[in-house]
Amino acid sequence: MNEVIIRHDLSPGPDAEQFAERLSERVARRIDKLEGSAKMIDYAFSTANLAMRAHCVADPRAAAVETWESTVNSMQLGSAIFALLGAAEGAVECRINRKLRTIPATGPMSTADAGTWLSAFWLAVICRDQDR
């Protein structure tokens, strides 16, 4: 027997797409700053996750390119956190937001916990990125 679960009543208002787009612009600015310092990568990751969720509210079928791009940005940032965690010195090359970036290594970070790992893993599964 099949069950249909009706989605929460989150009727996307007229501002939903604009809100999601503003968040995506903020994410892009935070990503661009990572090459100078990776100290704020956890904020970039959390903002990217918020932007992805906002795009999903505005686009419930997740059919728009912007929704996909926000999901990929979240996945790439989550992966970058753990790449940076494994390097105590030097820099790490990570592809984020369509660009190969050289980000200074941070070494251990408190943000790289089990919850962040699960989010990064979940995003890699959604994006079908086997290597991540």
Side-chain angles (χ1 to χ4, degrees), residues 21 24 55 59 62-73 98:
E21 193 54 42
S24 290
H55 278 285
D59 175 27
V65 169
E66 294 82 8
T67 306
W68 174 252
E69 288 177 347
S70 68
T71 305
V72 170
N73 279 340
R98 297 188 210 109

Side-chain angles (χ1 to χ4, degrees), residues 33-80:
K33 292 179 182 178
L34 290 176
E35 290 184 278
S37 171
K39 291 180 183 177
M40 303 298 275
I41 193 166
D42 53 340
Y43 292 112
F45 184 55
S46 62
T47 306
N49 284 328
L50 181 60
M52 175 190 63
R53 290 179 176 111
H55 278 285
C56 287
V57 168
D59 175 27
R61 290 186 44 238
V65 169
E66 294 82 8
T67 306
W68 174 252
E69 288 177 347
S70 68
T71 305
V72 170
N73 279 340
S74 291
M75 185 246 336
Q76 291 171 335
L77 282 164
S79 177

Side-chain angles (χ1 to χ4, degrees), residues 6-124:
I6 298 173
R7 184 173 185 251
H8 290 84
D9 187 23
L10 292 173
S11 312
D15 296 331
E17 286 183 37
Q18 294 168 349
F19 177 68
E21 193 54 42
R22 281 195 312 269
L23 282 171
S24 290
E25 290 169 3
R26 186 177 299 161
V27 170
R29 286 192 304 270
R30 289 185 178 176
I31 289 170
D32 288 340
K33 292 179 182 178
L34 290 176
E35 290 184 278
S37 171
K39 291 180 183 177
M40 303 298 275
I41 193 166
D42 53 340
Y43 292 112
F45 184 55
S46 62
T47 306
N49 284 328
L50 181 60
M52 175 190 63
R53 290 179 176 111
H55 278 285
C56 287
V57 168
D59 175 27
R61 290 186 44 238
V65 169
E66 294 82 8
T67 306
W68 174 252
E69 288 177 347
S70 68
T71 305
V72 170
N73 279 340
S74 291
M75 185 246 336
Q76 291 171 335
L77 282 164
S79 177
I81 287 173
F82 291 96
L84 293 170
L85 172 75
E89 56 187 42
V92 177
E93 285 192 340
C94 301
R95 180 167 300 280
I96 306 173
N97 199 18
R98 297 188 210 109
K99 183 179 172 190
L100 190 61
R101 299 169 192 275
T102 303
I103 303 172
T106 62
M109 297 183 289
S110 62
T111 190
D113 58 15
T116 304
W117 186 88
L118 285 172
S119 294
F121 178 75
W122 174 75
L123 289 161

